Amino acid sequence: MQLRLALRSALFMVPWLTHLLLANIILCALLPLSALFPDLCYTASSYIAKSVWYGIQQVFTRVNRADIVVSGAESLNENESAIVVSNHVEWTDFYLIQELALRTGMLGKCRWFAKQQLKSVPFLGWGLWAMGMPLVSRNWTADQKEMDRVFRGAVQRQWPMWLISFTEATRYTHAKHLEAEAWCKAHSKRVPQHTLYPRAKGFIACCQNLAKAPQMKAVYDVTIAYARKGINGWQFQQPPSFAESLLVPRLDEEWRFFVHVDRHPLEELPRSSEELAQWLEDRWVEKGERLEVLRQKLVKGMPWEAA
């Protein structure tokens, strides 16, 4: 059985990994040209990125049969640039956001906040940088130059993009939630359910800078949820690991996947830093309430459905 699974995985993954390697080599080759032909290189890198992300999305949803319940996508506009914020549970979160991007024609335009350390990884890190991914350390002072680079592309060059961040800056765990709960109580903040408290500095900078970009029309607030079938019923917020997402067939028999999105016109958001921070907190409280409804449905044996 194990040998059969290994052979099956190799059948689908080796071609995709080869494609990924070739894509990163091409992206690295574009780097010297990006200073002379920035728009052309951005467009080319977006097409390359789309082919890579589409390939792995097909492995997840078609080959391994992940059934993603999508809620709220009817409010999104085709080919619309947006700031995307989401709760963060596991590496596999990107599949759920990519499912939204696929439906709106923005898969190749996704630009994710990633860890700065990846920049030193040969080919992979260089490829991410060449695509225009913001590679950050989560230290706002240190990240200012990198953020300005990303903002210039959106504001001055008017590049279409989804600028995506996991606003809690780390993955959710029960232990981290207890720490966040203690911090919220000490600072008189509301405690969101099933999430961590959102970090506002990066979000505020994105809203205040990208409001100047005429193509940037909205903030998409994304809620991600999982459930895994266990001996005693469904276990809430228990996603597959990244390896399981690639190697386990018939994911729909063991896991549930859910993604909800709310669209907020960027022009309707407040402008001051204090009001934006409060706006973000309000969204996270709503997100926690939505996640609690999903948890209760599991307890009652009810299916997850699009709202």
Side-chain angles (χ1 to χ4, degrees), residues 138-157:
R138 300 294 181 182
N139 179 312
W140 183 245
T141 302
D143 293 334
Q144 186 69 56
K145 185 176 179 180
E146 178 68 1
M147 293 299 297
D148 287 344
R149 178 180 74 90
V150 176
F151 293 151
R152 277 197 302 274
V155 176
Q156 296 178 17
R157 312 300 307 186

Side-chain angles (χ1 to χ4, degrees), residues 177 180-198 274-289:
H177 182 73
E181 189 176 59
W183 184 91
C184 287
K185 289 179 179 178
H187 292 81
S188 301
K189 302 290 187 181
R190 290 173 293 174
V191 183
Q193 301 179 80
H194 308 295
T195 68
L196 306 179
Y197 192 80
E274 294 77 12
E275 290 175 316
L276 282 168
Q278 184 61 55
W279 185 92
L280 187 64
E281 179 185 302
D282 292 343
R283 301 290 77 73
W284 246 249
V285 170
E286 290 176 1
K287 191 185 303 292
E289 292 169 351

Side-chain angles (χ1 to χ4, degrees), residues 2-31:
Q2 294 297 323
L3 178 60
R4 188 171 136 198
L5 277 176
L7 290 173
R8 176 188 177 278
S9 300
L11 177 64
F12 295 109
M13 288 309 301
V14 169
W16 181 79
L17 288 170
T18 303
H19 181 190
L20 176 63
L21 177 61
L22 291 174
N24 278 298
I25 291 172
I26 296 171
L27 286 167
C28 291
L30 289 175
L31 273 174

Side-chain angles (χ1 to χ4, degrees), residues 6 8 92 152 213 261 269 293:
R8 176 188 177 278
T92 46
R152 277 197 302 274
V261 59
L269 265 66
V293 169

Side-chain angles (χ1 to χ4, degrees), residues 197-269:
Y197 192 80
R199 299 189 182 186
K201 281 188 178 180
F203 173 74
I204 291 168
C206 287
C207 289
Q208 292 178 338
N209 283 275
L210 297 181
K212 306 167 191 171
Q215 81 283 10
M216 195 67 63
K217 298 297 185 182
V219 172
Y220 295 168
D221 175 23
V222 175
T223 302
I224 286 171
Y226 303 89
R228 185 173 191 172
K229 186 182 292 185
I231 297 174
N232 299 316
W234 290 96
Q235 299 173 319
F236 187 54
Q237 292 301 53
Q238 294 295 315
S241 67
F242 182 56
E244 287 171 327
S245 76
L246 297 175
L247 304 178
V248 176
R250 297 182 293 278
L251 289 166
D252 58 330
E253 296 179 3
E254 190 170 351
W255 281 279
R256 289 186 186 180
F257 304 91
F258 178 91
V259 59
H260 175 84
V261 59
D262 287 316
R263 181 187 182 276
H264 302 274
L266 187 55
E267 63 184 11
E268 295 180 7
L269 265 66

